Every structure is written in C-alpha cells, then in structure tokens.
C-alpha cells in the first residue's frame, strides 16, 4: 500500500516532459480502475470526480446497455447504478494520447470492452504558484 506522500499531486519546477505527464495519467487511471478513487484524485489537480465517473459510465456501460436493448435500457440504467458498483471501471482501458500543438494539453481515448467510447479525458499541464502540475480531467464528447 502506498503512503500518502507517494500520492500527492506532483509538482515540477519546469514544464514536465510528455512521457512524465503520461506516466502520471496512467497511474491515475490505474487507481481509478481499481476503485481507489480517493488515491487517484490526489495525483492530479482534480476536477469533481463524481462528474468524471458519471460521464465515463454513461459513455461506456450506459451506451452499451442502450445499444443492446433500447426498449429495456431505462429500467437497467438506474440513476445511481454507476455509484453503487464500481466494478465497471475495471473494464475501461486507456487508449491513445493526443497532444495539442502547444504541448500543454492533451486528451486520452478510453476503451470499454476493447471498443473506443465517445468520452475522452482531457488533461493539461499548468503553472501554479509552486510549480507545474497536471490538471483535469475534463470529459470530452
């Protein structure tokens, strides 16, 4: 088990390399997939996690349920189903990273059951008073 020091938002004195940022995002996503949400949100300057998880669920499990049986989808898509059982996170994987032309922002594709979903996660590297941090994610449709 990692201690809290290992899970603090990483701060760099200079803008970090893309590979360094991607490593942070991979670690963040790995913790999300494992259901270790409190630990994951400590790795980045985080936006509201509830929104992020809900959008990922709608774009993955929710879209899959609707595609399988549109007539029965409403019954199977309980409003808080994604919160009660986080096992669906284990079905998500990171896809490709797509960096913007400035090199300070990017989005990463997400797959569910080996298919790229319509929701991507956006991150950016931003300066703060103490140094550079990874911020996000935003949810992109």
């Amino acid at each position: 088990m990692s201690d809290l020091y290992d899970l603090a938002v990483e701060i760099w004195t200079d803008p970090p390399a893309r590979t360094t940022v991607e490593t942070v995002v991979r670690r963040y996503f790995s913790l999300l997939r494992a259901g270790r949400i409190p630990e994951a949100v400590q790795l980045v300057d985080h936006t509201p996690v509830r929104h992020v998880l809900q959008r990922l669920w709608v774009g993955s499990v929710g879209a899959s349920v609707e595609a399988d049986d549109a007539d029965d989808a409403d019954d199977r898509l309980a409003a808080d189903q994604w919160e009660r059982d986080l096992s669906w996170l284990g079905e998500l994987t990171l896809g490709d990273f797509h960096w913007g032309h400035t090199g300070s922002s990017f989005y990463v594709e997400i797959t569910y059951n080996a298919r790229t979903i319509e929701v991507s996660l956006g991150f950016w590297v931003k300066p703060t008073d103490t140094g550079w941090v990874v911020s996000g994610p935003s949810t992109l449709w």
Side-chain angles (χ1 to χ4, degrees), residues 12-140:
W12 298 274
T13 55
D14 295 312
R18 287 183 181 185
T19 54
T20 301
V21 173
E22 290 177 8
T23 298
V24 169
V25 171
R26 288 180 203 289
R27 186 169 180 208
Y28 162 82
F29 199 75
S30 176
L31 289 167
L32 272 188
R33 289 187 69 226
R36 295 169 58 186
I37 311 304
E39 295 169 72
V41 300
Q42 293 178 45
L43 291 179
V44 298
D45 180 24
H46 210 281
T47 55
V49 71
R50 188 172 193 276
H51 170 79
V52 172
L53 293 175
Q54 183 183 39
R55 297 292 93 202
L56 286 172
W57 189 85
V58 167
S60 59
V61 178
S64 178
V65 168
E66 288 176 1
D68 289 345
D69 187 1
D71 294 333
D72 193 30
D74 289 339
D75 295 334
R76 295 181 3 209
L77 291 176
D80 63 349
Q81 182 177 346
W82 62 272
E83 288 181 292
R84 288 183 280 142
D85 177 7
L86 295 177
S87 63
W88 59 273
L89 285 168
E91 301 294 325
L92 301 177
T93 57
L94 287 179
D96 293 332
F97 285 75
H98 300 273
W99 284 84
H101 68 281
T102 64
S104 64
S105 64
F106 61 96
Y107 70 92
V108 61
E109 296 172 340
I110 308 296
T111 62
Y112 174 71
N113 290 334
R115 292 191 341 225
T116 301
I117 65 173
E118 292 184 21
V119 179
S120 297
L121 297 179
F123 294 88
W124 53 100
V125 178
K126 69 178 191 178
T128 66
D129 291 341
T130 56
W132 294 82
V133 299
V134 177
S135 189
S138 60
T139 52
L140 310 171

